[in-house]
């Protein structure tokens, strides 16, 4: 049976948190947050709840949930079957999401795709992937200053009733102890040396080495997300929570975007400097990053890797790089950002693209599979959602996903943060160790 969607205007809000506060305690509530009005570059907010079905995947690739016909397949095929089960009559609209999948694909889902190994131990026990099938959404377009409810007539009545209720106030949040890292400087230095040995031996060109920080907490994770968002608004933020588990992501990095005409884009970030305390210092740090041969080399290696990944599912000759190592500035850091674009080959779909490029090369290294094996060997614990992707896949073929960096993961009363960076042959151990802290120090400070 086909459900007819209607698009109904709602009062515009320049901040999505007001609308989502009315939904956040509903089953399967999700917020894909552009960070507006403070974050540059973000355009759309997407939020929903009460999915028709939820599909999870464990680290062995076993699929659970979904709808009849989704089990017994590899993760991405199962997710495509779940998406195909949603029969919607969609109006002609510029809005990016008119129903489909919303959720996450954790970094450890890569173990289902490549021979990574199993030396590192799981500490965070979220599924490797969790996606819900949503037949409605509130979508905000900040460029046009509009808010829309996309829903069937029956769903619209439900949602408007939810919006008439008073929002549940966010209970206080606090850490019960400061964040503690699983590596001290000497532990990081030993792993740095091992990476350098692998590079000199020709095993790899670049390795993204990360470390995890954890702290016990009490209280409302929605309050924690609001603190983080205030500290570092970014255009690919997200909040998802299930019981005592949650993802609080403040990512600045797009992984893969796909339009219904088959055009695709990825925006790898490689190269980081902190923002300066004065205008002069800030300008100096930005110029230093833009002129850094080491940081540009990191970025170019990942661009080449992504061109290869995209080439597996793109029309031959369509992959191009319209921006190489462009300087972009955020609330707390400067980054070098490249743009790689292409066109999907006939017969390919958005989830084929995600499977071909997953996980993102900017957070593994090159060559990708060997880099993932070295990461598994050297990092003491698994990454869980960190360095995976969050986002949506729409029934018409639209997709937009982030790289889950600057991301906190809550599980069993503990909050986990990771900081990492790309190591190449001329990397300096002290600079790299400091960079892992620079990327998340502001998040820790906001939560502490």
């Amino acid at each position: 049976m086909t459900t007819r969607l209607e698009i109904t205007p709602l009062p515009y809000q320049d901040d999505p948190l007001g609308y989502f506060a009315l939904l956040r305690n509903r089953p399967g509530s999700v917020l894909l947050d552009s960070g507006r009005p403070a974050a540059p570059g973000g355009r759309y907010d997407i939020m929903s709840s009460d999915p028709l079905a939820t599909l999870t995947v464990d680290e062995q690739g076993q699929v659970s949930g979904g709808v009849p016909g989704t089990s017994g397949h590899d993760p991405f095929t199962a997710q495509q079957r779940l998406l195909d089960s949603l029969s919607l009559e969609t109006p002609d609209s510029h809005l990016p999401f008119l129903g489909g999948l919303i959720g996450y694909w954790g970094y450890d889902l890569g173990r289902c795709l490549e021979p990574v190994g199993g030396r590192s131990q799981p500490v965070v026990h979220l599924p490797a992937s969790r996606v819900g099938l949503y037949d409605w959404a509130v979508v905000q377009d900040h460029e046009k200053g509009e808010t829309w409810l996309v829903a069937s007539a029956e769903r619209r009545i439900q949602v408007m009733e939810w919006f008439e209720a008073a929002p549940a106030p966010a209970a206080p949040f606090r850490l019960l102890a400061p964040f503690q890292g699983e590596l001290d400087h000497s532990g990081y230095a030993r792993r740095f040396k091992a990476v350098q040995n692998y590079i000199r031996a020709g095993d790899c060109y670049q390795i993204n080495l990360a470390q995890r920080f954890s702290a016990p907490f009490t209280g409302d994770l929605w309050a924690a997300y609001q603190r983080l968002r205030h500290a570092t608004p970014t255009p690919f933020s997200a909040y998802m929570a299930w019981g005592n588990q949650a993802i609080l992501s403040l990512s600045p990095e797009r992984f893969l975007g796909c339009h219904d005409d088959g055009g695709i884009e990825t925006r790898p970030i490689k190269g980081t400097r902190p923002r300066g305390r004065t205008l002069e210092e800030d300008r100096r740090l930005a110029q230093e990053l833009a002129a850094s041969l080491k940081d540009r080399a990191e970025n170019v290696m990942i661009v080449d890797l992504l061109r290869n990944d995209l080439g597996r599912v793109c029309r031959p000759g369509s992959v191009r790089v319209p921006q190489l190592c462009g300087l972009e500035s955020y609330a707390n850091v400067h980054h070098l950002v490249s743009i790689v674009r292409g066109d999907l080959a006939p017969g390919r779909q958005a989830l084929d693209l995600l499977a071909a490029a997953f996980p993102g090369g900017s957070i593994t290294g090159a060559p990708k599979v060997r880099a993932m094996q070295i990461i598994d060997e050297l990092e003491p614990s698994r990454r869980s959602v960190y360095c995976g992707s969050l986002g949506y896949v729409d029934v018409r073929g639209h997709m937009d996903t982030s790289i889950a960096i600057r991301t906190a993961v809550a599980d069993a009363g503990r909050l986990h943060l990771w900081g990492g960076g790309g190591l190449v042959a001329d990397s300096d151990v002290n600079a790299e160790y400091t960079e892992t802290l620079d990327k998340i120090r502001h998040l820790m400070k906001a939560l502490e």
Side-chain angles (χ1 to χ4, degrees):
M1 179 179 175
T2 300
T3 301
R4 183 173 181 271
L5 291 186
E6 299 175 358
I7 300 179
T8 305
L10 295 175
Y12 172 71
Q13 297 183 7
D14 62 356
D15 186 326
L17 303 192
Y19 276 120
F20 189 70
L22 300 167
L23 299 172
R24 70 181 184 90
N25 288 325
R26 295 207 57 79
S29 62
V30 289
L31 169 64
L32 302 179
D33 177 3
S34 69
R36 295 291 286 267
R43 178 173 179 180
Y44 295 105
D45 306 315
I46 300 171
M47 62 197 86
S48 189
S49 70
D50 297 75
L52 300 174
T54 300
L55 188 150
T56 63
V57 184
D58 66 19
E59 289 186 7
Q60 286 70 50
Q62 297 300 306
V63 173
S64 301
V67 296
T70 54
S71 61
H73 297 280
D74 71 84
F76 290 99
T77 299
Q79 291 168 359
Q80 184 65 55
R81 285 177 174 262
L82 179 61
L83 181 62
D84 291 343
S85 74
L86 186 59
S87 183
L88 297 176
E89 180 185 338
T90 58
D92 184 27
S93 173
H94 77 284
L95 297 180
F97 185 81
L98 298 184
L101 304 180
I102 304 176
Y104 73 84
W105 296 263
Y107 175 86
D108 290 322
L109 185 63
R111 298 175 185 278
C112 307
L113 306 175
E114 304 290 356
V116 174
R119 297 190 186 186
S120 60
Q121 297 300 309
V123 173
V124 183
H125 297 285
L126 272 69
S129 176
R130 185 198 306 260
V131 297
L133 184 68
Y134 294 86
D135 65 343
W136 75 274
V138 171
V139 182
Q140 297 211 123
D141 182 346
H142 294 291
E143 186 174 290
K144 295 189 173 184
E146 299 171 341
T147 301
W148 303 95
L149 171 59
V150 179
S152 65
E154 183 179 357
R155 272 290 199 188
R156 184 174 68 249
I157 294 171
Q158 282 184 317
V159 175
M160 296 310 293
E161 289 177 352
W162 300 338
F163 282 173
E164 289 173 2
F173 168 90
R174 66 185 177 93
L175 296 183
L176 300 176
F179 279 97
Q180 294 293 321
E182 62 184 349
L183 296 176
D184 57 15
H185 187 281
S186 63
Y188 180 88
R190 288 195 301 272
R191 289 162 174 82
F192 177 94
K193 183 177 180 180
V195 169
Q196 293 298 307
N197 289 338
Y198 279 125
I199 292 174
R200 283 193 292 269
D203 273 49
C204 55
Y205 309 108
Q206 180 181 161
I207 296 293
N208 185 283
L209 185 65
Q211 57 172 326
R212 178 177 58 87
F213 300 82
S214 300
F217 74 91
T218 185
D220 195 332
L221 289 163
W222 176 238
Y225 178 76
Q226 292 180 74
R227 283 198 213 174
L228 293 174
R229 190 181 190 272
H230 178 74
T232 178
T234 57
F236 295 99
S237 300
Y239 178 83
M240 304 175 185
W242 314 267
N244 67 349
Q245 298 179 325
I247 301 169
L248 297 71
S249 183
L250 287 300
S251 175
E253 183 172 355
R254 168 176 282 144
F255 179 30
L256 294 166
C258 183
H259 303 287
D260 58 355
D261 62 2
I264 65 176
E265 178 182 275
T266 182
R267 296 174 60 92
I269 291 176
K270 274 295 168 192
T272 304
R273 293 292 187 280
R275 298 299 300 263
R277 288 166 293 184
T278 65
L279 184 61
E280 181 180 349
E281 182 187 33
D282 192 61
R283 186 181 299 114
R284 177 183 61 78
L285 288 166
Q287 292 172 346
E288 176 187 298
L289 176 60
S292 169
L293 296 179
K294 178 259 184 187
D295 289 292
R296 292 181 67 87
E298 280 188 45
N299 198 298
V300 170
M301 288 181 197
I302 299 307
V303 166
D304 282 343
L305 187 157
L306 285 165
R307 290 174 62 215
N308 180 70
D309 283 351
L310 267 57
R312 297 163 65 184
V313 293
C314 281
R315 180 170 50 79
S318 70
V319 178
R320 56 203 181 276
V321 184
Q323 174 177 300
L324 186 63
C325 300
L327 180 70
E328 295 187 6
S329 299
Y330 295 85
N332 296 280
V333 291
H334 301 289
H335 282 311
L336 291 184
V337 183
S338 293
I339 300 174
V340 186
R341 291 181 179 150
D343 300 309
L344 280 179
R348 294 290 194 171
Q349 297 171 298
L351 282 167
D352 295 323
L353 170 64
L354 187 59
F358 192 87
S362 67
I363 43 72
T364 59
K368 182 189 288 187
V369 175
R370 185 64 183 125
M372 293 171 68
Q373 292 168 347
I374 294 171
I375 288 168
D376 181 71
E377 173 192 332
L378 297 179
E379 292 184 7
S381 58
R382 295 185 182 178
R383 292 181 170 185
S384 181
V385 176
Y386 172 69
C387 289
S389 297
L390 297 91
Y392 69 84
V393 186
D394 170 78
V395 289
R396 299 162 298 167
H398 290 271
M399 177 175 73
D400 208 359
T401 57
S402 69
I403 294 284
I405 54 176
R406 319 293 194 274
T407 295
V409 180
D411 178 44
R414 295 187 68 82
L415 202 58
H416 306 270
L417 280 168
W418 290 258
L423 307 184
V424 292
D426 57 351
S427 293
D428 174 77
V429 63
N430 293 321
E432 295 295 344
Y433 182 78
T434 299
E435 182 177 318
T436 67
L437 298 175
D438 285 341
K439 289 176 176 176
I440 59 171
R441 184 179 284 111
H442 56 290
L443 302 180
M444 292 182 184
K445 183 177 179 181
L447 294 170
E448 292 173 346

